[in-house]
Amino acid sequence: EENDEDEENPPQLIAAQPSQQGDVEAAPNGPVGLDEDEDEDEDEEDEDEERDGVSMVPMADILNARYGCNNAKLFYEKEHLRMVAVRDINAGEQIWNTYGDPPNADLLRRYGYIDVIPFYAQAQSHEIYESFPYENPSDEVEIRADLVFDVCAPGTPESEKTEKIEVWLNLGGDDTFVIDRKDGTCKLMLGMIRYLSMTPQEVEEAIEKDKLPKGKPTGDTLKLALQVLRTRLVQYTTTLEEDEIILKATAQHNGRMFSAVFVRLWEKRLLRGALRKMEEILQLEEEETVHRSNTLTSGRGKRPREETSQEHKASKKRTRR
């Protein structure tokens, strides 16, 4: 069964076993008293039970849920459900259930609400957006594999594209990549970019080893990743700054429009953060390349100076440390 998408706060549907004590009343399981073929149809009956044994539990749905706040948890037992405190709860303190701290996009799709939390004090300075300082730390942004393919291998014939994607998926590659706080460079996406630049021989070797290429944030791979992120960012019809204005103009932090704009605002913030991080890595790499080149050029044709005994002793001390 599916929740009604038009409801603001749809109830949670929980699969439960029939209760002998009246804690949870399961839906009827169909006719009983089957003929001699009952044993042969046992598997089919079990499937019917799983499908029909879905109940609404109003008491459990009364509890709110919020990122990082849960102090109670719903336990599924053989004949009933138990809501148990997972830490001491003071008198008058709100009881919080948990949905596992998912990103706001999932919360909005499944339950019809989002988490709007003030920034934590320990947040890094570059993550603090004073214009609208609210977040869900679990938020993420998805990038489809076909977008990566179109950016990194434009003009590829459809038949060849289909073949390459099949090989990628057969090797265990994903069809969607996620950027979040933990993986700002999206190493899995970098792995696909590396795969798309491999020669036919390298692809055959990967197939023989049954192993995906590693995604390292370096060189041309990183440059292509930047193109992917910029392409993903321009898919939105509004800018990040326009979304911030919309949210600040909303008197109350609720409603479907506010929730939808908040979700896409943080997708854009994560994309910009990933862009900034990749640009910094690429800049450092280019500076190191220039430095090495200058060092080689300046040292060409010159005999290296022998180090003095004092310099030799100092070098040994540094090595021991």
Side-chain angles (χ1 to χ4, degrees), residues 146-154 224-229 231-232:
D146 55 358
L147 173 64
V148 177
F149 197 108
D150 291 341
V151 171
C152 300
L224 287 170
L226 288 170
Q227 291 183 36
V228 172
L229 297 188
T231 303
R232 177 68 176 86

Side-chain angles (χ1 to χ4, degrees), residues 157-175:
E158 195 63 31
S159 58
E160 184 180 342
K161 178 179 179 180
T162 301
E163 182 181 350
K164 282 194 171 184
I165 289 177
E166 285 181 358
V167 171
W168 168 257
L169 295 175
N170 288 336
L171 287 172
D174 294 328
D175 59 1

Side-chain angles (χ1 to χ4, degrees), residues 36-44:
E36 63 267 42
D37 294 329
E38 181 176 357
D39 291 338
E40 297 177 2
D41 297 333
E42 185 175 346
D43 292 341
E44 186 176 346

